């Protein structure tokens, strides 16, 4: 891949909670190319949404980017002023949020909210705004776009609000779309429709897409590459084919085992234990307490990222079926 559209390198984000530092993102790296779909997967609490908010510089007041790099189209976002970032947000990178009910302003119509984006980023005259709003809603397959534009968020169904948020995210014609759990709280049919729509929009507009989900099976069919996140770290990344056919990290293998059981409709066996307390800096691999293959070395020092195949990288001292892993910077 040539220079990526989005390049996150060794990103660390710190919260302060009750006087203690918490590290929801702790050395994460990933990239998204032009027109490419990358899936970011992991259990709830692994830091996926915090990583997304870091790209948009929408972290809460008690959080800060402690170190690392976030480059969008070659520009370092962490060094931009608040004013500069407002011009980037919506025009170059946009977020389709997880909670669509709180993302929409309840006292403005859907059309008014999309019009604000158009006015800010595309400088359209007022006479053209509503026509463009209707086109934006039509593009996300809302059957009665004029009626939806005149509606308040509470007057729309959950699926319609989801599509309205997508229309708003795309109104500024961004190059990168971050979709945070876009299939939450909808049934299987609507999930598939949304994923197919995102895939179609990515292809037709040449969008880079970062698709975030806790469910590996949701993103595997719609992404060219995958990144697996655990305890604030991207523990494995590579092509979808590499990761599905030959997972190198025990956590990825455990997620795939759950996926396989789900497909066979057998009784699901959960991964034992839970995500560690991110306020505690663990000396070794954070997955070691849950890993059946953990050794004493795993508990002593955090693993560096290693290459186990072309473009296939893993943070594990003892990658699965890869004794010849080579450490990379």
């Amino acid at each position: 891949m040539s220079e990526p559209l989005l390049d996150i390198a060794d990103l660390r984000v710190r919260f302060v909670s009750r006087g203690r530092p918490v590290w929801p993102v702790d050395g994460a790296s990933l990239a998204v190319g032009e027109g490419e779909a990358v899936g970011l997967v992991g259990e709830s609490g692994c830091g996926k949404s915090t990583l997304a908010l870091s790209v948009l510089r929408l972290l809460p007041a008690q959080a800060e980017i402690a170190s690392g790099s976030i480059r969008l189209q070659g520009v370092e976002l962490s060094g931009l002023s608040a004013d500069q970032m407002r011009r980037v947000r919506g025009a170059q990178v946009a977020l389709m949020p997880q909670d669509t009910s709180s993302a929409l302003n309840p006292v403005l119509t859907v059309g008014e909210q999309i019009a604000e984006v158009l006015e800010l980023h595309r400088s359209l005259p007022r006479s053209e705004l509503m026509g463009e709003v209707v086109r934006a809603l039509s593009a996300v397959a809302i059957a009665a776009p004029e009626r939806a534009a005149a509606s308040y968020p509470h007057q729309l169904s959950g699926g319609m609000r989801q599509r309205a948020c997508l229309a708003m995210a795309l109104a500024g014609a961004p190059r990168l779309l971050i979709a945070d759990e876009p299939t939450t709280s909808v049934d299987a049919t609507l999930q598939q429709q949304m994923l197919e729509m995102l895939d179609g929009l990515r292809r037709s507009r040449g969008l880079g897409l970062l698709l975030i989900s806790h469910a590996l099976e949701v993103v595997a069919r719609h992404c060219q590459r995958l990144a697996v996140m655990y305890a604030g770290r991207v523990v494995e990344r590579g092509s979808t084919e590499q990761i599905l056919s030959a997972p190198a990290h025990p956590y990825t293998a455990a997620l795939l085992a759950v996926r396989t059981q789900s497909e066979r409709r057998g009784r699901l066996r959960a991964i034992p234990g839970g995500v560690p307390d991110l306020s505690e800096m663990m000396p070794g691999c954070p997955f070691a307490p849950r890993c059946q293959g953990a050794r004493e070395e795993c508990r002593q020092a955090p693993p560096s990222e290693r290459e186990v195949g072309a473009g296939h990288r893993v943070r594990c001292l003892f990658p699965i079926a890869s004794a010849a892993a080579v450490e990379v910077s």
Side-chain angles (χ1 to χ4, degrees):
M1 185 173 67
S2 58
E3 183 178 355
L5 175 66
L6 174 69
D7 190 7
I8 301 172
D10 201 23
L11 182 68
R12 302 186 78 223
V13 177
R14 178 176 55 216
F15 279 65
V16 176
S17 176
R18 297 177 184 177
R20 300 174 64 193
V22 180
W23 300 89
V25 178
D26 188 13
S29 299
L30 65 81
V32 181
E34 292 271 3
E36 181 186 39
V38 175
L40 178 62
V41 299
E43 293 168 280
S44 296
C46 284
K48 306 183 301 296
S49 293
T50 302
L51 186 144
L53 293 175
S54 300
V55 174
L56 288 113
R57 296 263 302 277
L58 290 175
L59 292 168
Q62 68 271 28
E64 65 172 351
I65 295 174
S67 61
S69 172
I70 306 171
R71 297 179 69 82
L72 180 66
Q73 295 183 300
V75 175
E76 178 58 55
L77 297 185
S78 59
L80 297 185
S81 68
D83 230 23
Q84 290 171 319
M85 199 60 213
R86 272 191 290 272
R87 290 194 288 273
V88 168
R89 214 180 286 125
Q92 295 180 41
V93 55
L95 174 69
M96 182 183 176
Q98 184 175 155
D99 184 359
T100 56
S101 57
S102 63
L104 293 166
N105 189 329
V107 301
L108 295 178
T109 66
V110 167
E112 287 171 327
Q113 295 179 64
I114 296 174
E116 285 183 346
V117 178
L118 293 167
E119 219 170 1
L120 177 63
H121 294 300
R122 292 173 58 184
S123 304
L124 293 179
R126 286 194 168 273
S127 58
E128 296 179 19
L129 282 178
M130 288 318 294
E132 197 61 33
V133 166
V134 169
R135 280 189 285 275
L137 289 167
S138 297
V140 296
I142 288 182
E146 294 88 352
R147 188 167 62 213
S151 300
Y152 290 91
H154 74 273
Q155 295 173 313
L156 302 180
S157 67
M160 291 270 278
R161 284 197 299 269
Q162 189 183 53
R163 289 169 187 248
C165 281
L166 177 57
M168 194 182 314
L170 296 176
R175 302 306 310 139
L176 173 69
L177 175 67
I178 301 175
D180 189 2
E181 299 279 7
T183 58
T184 298
S185 304
V186 293
D187 63 33
T189 301
L190 290 176
Q191 280 187 13
Q192 188 60 26
Q193 287 176 357
M194 176 55 68
L195 290 169
E196 288 176 358
M197 183 188 303
L198 286 170
D199 204 31
L201 289 166
R202 174 186 65 81
R203 292 170 184 272
S204 64
R205 301 187 182 204
L207 277 173
L209 174 64
L210 180 59
L211 182 57
I212 299 174
S213 179
H214 64 276
L216 186 54
E217 69 275 11
V218 167
V219 299
R221 292 188 294 270
H222 297 275
C223 294
Q224 291 80 52
R225 291 190 301 116
L226 296 175
V228 181
M229 197 164 186
Y230 184 78
R233 305 171 188 182
V234 173
V235 296
E236 185 166 4
R237 53 184 173 137
S239 73
T240 300
E241 182 182 359
Q242 286 170 327
I243 288 178
L244 294 186
S245 62
H249 198 283
Y251 179 60
T252 309
L255 289 177
L256 283 169
V258 171
R259 170 179 178 256
T260 302
Q261 285 179 309
S262 175
E263 288 175 346
R264 292 175 180 171
R265 298 185 180 181
R267 184 178 177 182
L268 291 181
R269 182 181 63 188
I271 303 171
V275 179
D277 182 351
L278 299 179
S279 66
E280 297 179 4
M281 297 293 287
M282 298 183 66
C285 173
F287 189 62
R290 305 174 73 185
C291 180
Q292 295 181 350
R295 309 181 197 180
E296 188 54 38
E297 298 98 311
C298 302
R299 298 178 175 86
Q300 292 174 354
S304 300
E305 191 173 64
R306 297 164 178 264
E307 191 165 65
V308 293
H312 189 182
R313 297 182 173 192
V314 64
R315 292 184 70 160
C316 182
L317 291 175
F318 304 101
I320 298 170
S322 183
V326 179
E327 187 171 317
V328 296
S329 56

